[in-house]
Amino acid sequence: KMNLDTIDIKRQGIYKKFPSFEFYIQSLDNSNDQFFLDLLDKYLKEGNFQHNSEFGTLDYNIFYAFNGLGSYLQRFKYKSLEDYQTKNIFNENYFFQAISYLYWQTRFELYQLSKSIELFNNQAGVSVQLNSTFFIKNKVSDLGTYLQFGMLEEAKFLTNKYLDFINSSVPLKIFNDEGDIYHRRTQYFVLRLLNDYWFKRDIKFPACAFDEPLFNQLIKNWDTENITLLEHLLLCLCDRHTHQTKFDTATKFFDISDFTFSYLPFEIHTILRLRTEKGLENPILSHVIMTTPLGKIYPNKKPYMDDLLLQILKRARLEYPDFASDLFTKEVSDAENIKPHTSKKSWQFWKK
């Protein structure tokens, strides 16, 4: 049995400039984007419309609607933590709502991306600009947040797609920041682990996916019953997370350069959720990134849906009938079973 003495991995301690959780909560506040929410409301009532702005005329369509959904989800994240400093209350339902919106926003982006890839494949030599909003540093990190809330099917669906991208024969980088230049090692670790757990596919990962001893140890030992060993490795991982929370520069790249994830330890959540699924005990980690409400993993939940999201998805299907077909074509469709909220619009909690 492996013990600590045989593992030459030491803790780094917490990065001295790691931001406080208070600062993190403030950074989520986006109350100045009411404008985008109003445009989305108008769109859901009227469909496509032209909007005259200081930047000229804008054709508001389904793409903007999914961006508007992004403004909502940001509000929900903030709302879930707003009472945390004053009353020590975390409303996990708001956070779950936010990442459910995030999931469908990502599904729509993926759908559009697949269309571009098809176009590229069918028109050899024609340069097609791929939707370059796909970054490993956030898309793969999101997987850990879905797992944190027990959205296993959703995470599995996306993981399989992302593995396709890494193996893609399309001579285009699908992820903007893939490969050894950007060396997003934490995210490659998450993909390696999820691939081992769910698919066991043969994936052409870059060299940087294998050159961090801590990650190699965790791939070997993530499901160990030696809690002392695991606790040590996970605390090393927590420390590393804080040291990776730095902005990318022109020449240096960091795994947690998207500060949304500074207090969302997605790589830890991935390990803990998979252990829970296997019925294994998890260590209690006393670490600054694990002791906030965002450091916990929550009970598995049924997929979330509400009127707002449903309207956007139905609107998208008017233009793209095969989008989200998994949601709409089940025998008794999840989408049709949704009971609209009779109370006030739950996504407009700030309108009393």
Side-chain angles (χ1 to χ4, degrees):
K1 219 175 184 171
M2 295 195 81
N3 61 30
L4 290 186
D5 311 329
T6 59
I7 288 199
D8 188 26
I9 295 175
K10 305 275 179 282
R11 288 193 59 180
Q12 290 174 275
I14 293 161
Y15 174 48
K16 59 182 184 305
K17 291 186 182 163
F18 188 66
S20 69
F21 193 53
E22 286 64 41
F23 177 81
Y24 176 79
I25 295 174
Q26 280 158 15
S27 74
L28 296 175
D29 183 8
N30 69 333
S31 48
N32 58 354
D33 62 4
Q34 183 61 45
F35 172 68
F36 297 112
L37 304 181
D38 293 341
L39 288 180
L40 176 57
D41 281 350
K42 180 176 163 71
Y43 171 77
L44 290 175
K45 289 192 191 87
E46 303 171 16
N48 294 6
F49 65 90
Q50 285 198 325
H51 172 70
N52 298 317
S53 73
E54 53 194 296
F55 309 112
T57 306
L58 166 85
D59 287 312
Y60 195 100
N61 58 24
I62 189 67
F63 293 90
Y64 289 103
F66 276 99
N67 286 341
L69 198 61
S71 298
Y72 270 115
L73 78 85
Q74 197 58 23
R75 281 212 173 184
F76 283 127
K77 281 185 172 180
Y78 183 62
K79 177 71 180 165
S80 69
L81 288 159
E82 221 178 2
D83 294 335
Y84 183 67
Q85 283 138 303
T86 48
K87 306 177 205 154
N88 209 14
I89 294 169
F90 171 64
N91 190 324
E92 68 183 86
N93 292 329
Y94 280 133
F95 206 88
F96 180 57
Q97 196 168 350
I99 61 167
S100 301
Y101 284 11
L102 178 67
Y103 172 72
W104 284 107
Q105 193 187 31
T106 304
R107 283 284 304 267
F108 187 69
E109 290 175 293
L110 261 178
Y111 177 85
Q112 295 302 333
L113 190 57
S114 318
K115 289 255 178 280
S116 305
I117 294 169
E118 257 171 57
L119 203 64
F120 181 90
N121 287 336
N122 297 339
Q123 308 180 358
V126 177
S127 86
V128 174
Q129 182 51 51
L130 278 187
N131 169 357
S132 60
T133 56
F134 261 66
F135 287 89
I136 282 184
K137 70 174 180 181
N138 46 40
K139 290 292 185 254
V140 173
S141 308
D142 288 334
L143 296 174
T145 309
Y146 299 132
L147 290 170
Q148 177 186 8
F149 283 84
M151 295 170 69
L152 278 103
E153 285 311 306
E154 291 84 348
K156 187 175 182 179
F157 179 92
L158 295 177
T159 300
N160 203 26
K161 289 272 191 244
Y162 298 163
L163 294 171
D164 285 345
F165 290 170
I166 290 172
N167 267 8
S168 163
S169 56
V170 178
L172 291 165
K173 281 200 329 188
I174 296 177
F175 282 116
N176 251 345
D177 56 345
E178 66 186 51
D180 289 318
I181 295 174
Y182 300 96
H183 53 69
R184 308 288 188 198
R185 293 181 174 90
T186 311
Q187 287 81 358
Y188 282 122
F189 161 71
V190 166
L191 287 174
R192 278 177 72 195
L193 182 57
L194 292 176
N195 181 43
D196 287 355
Y197 184 77
W198 276 323
F199 307 111
K200 301 191 170 37
R201 293 176 55 183
D202 187 15
I203 303 295
K204 301 189 290 270
F205 285 114
C208 67
F210 306 98
D211 65 5
E212 167 57 70
L214 174 57
F215 289 135
N216 293 334
Q217 284 297 344
L218 280 161
I219 288 287
K220 273 197 217 119
N221 292 300
W222 71 271
D223 56 355
T224 178
E225 297 193 2
N226 180 342
I227 288 287
T228 316
L229 168 67
L230 185 71
E231 181 186 19
H232 173 71
L233 291 174
L234 292 180
L235 287 170
C236 291
L237 189 50
C238 289
D239 287 347
R240 187 181 180 284
H241 185 102
T242 68
H243 285 269
Q244 287 291 317
T245 302
K246 297 170 191 169
F247 289 117
D248 286 338
T249 68
T251 52
K252 282 196 150 154
F253 302 97
F254 301 97
D255 297 354
I256 320 295
S257 56
D258 177 344
F259 275 42
T260 316
F261 298 102
S262 51
Y263 279 92
L264 277 173
F266 59 90
E267 66 277 49
I268 313 272
H269 292 323
T270 301
I271 296 167
L272 298 181
R273 173 62 72 198
L274 296 188
R275 286 180 61 87
T276 303
E277 289 298 302
K278 281 189 84 164
L280 295 163
E281 183 193 343
N282 283 329
I284 304 291
L285 301 170
S286 56
H287 193 281
V288 64
I289 63 172
M290 298 306 295
T291 49
T292 80
L294 300 184
K296 299 185 175 56
I297 61 173
Y298 292 89
N300 294 4
K301 294 182 187 294
K302 283 197 173 63
Y304 174 85
M305 184 57 70
D306 62 26
D307 298 352
L308 174 76
L309 188 50
L310 188 58
Q311 281 185 65
I312 293 177
L313 295 178
K314 284 184 166 171
R315 184 75 67 176
R317 282 171 58 84
L318 290 176
E319 286 178 59
Y320 305 101
D322 54 341
F323 171 62
S325 47
D326 50 325
L327 181 71
F328 287 87
T329 53
K330 290 187 186 159
E331 296 277 312
V332 179
S333 156
D334 290 354
E336 296 309 324
N337 263 345
I338 294 152
K339 302 276 181 288
H341 294 288
T342 45
S343 64
K344 65 182 190 318
K345 295 180 177 175
S346 65
W347 57 93
Q348 293 188 341
F349 50 78
W350 59 91
K351 293 186 181 172
K352 289 289 177 274

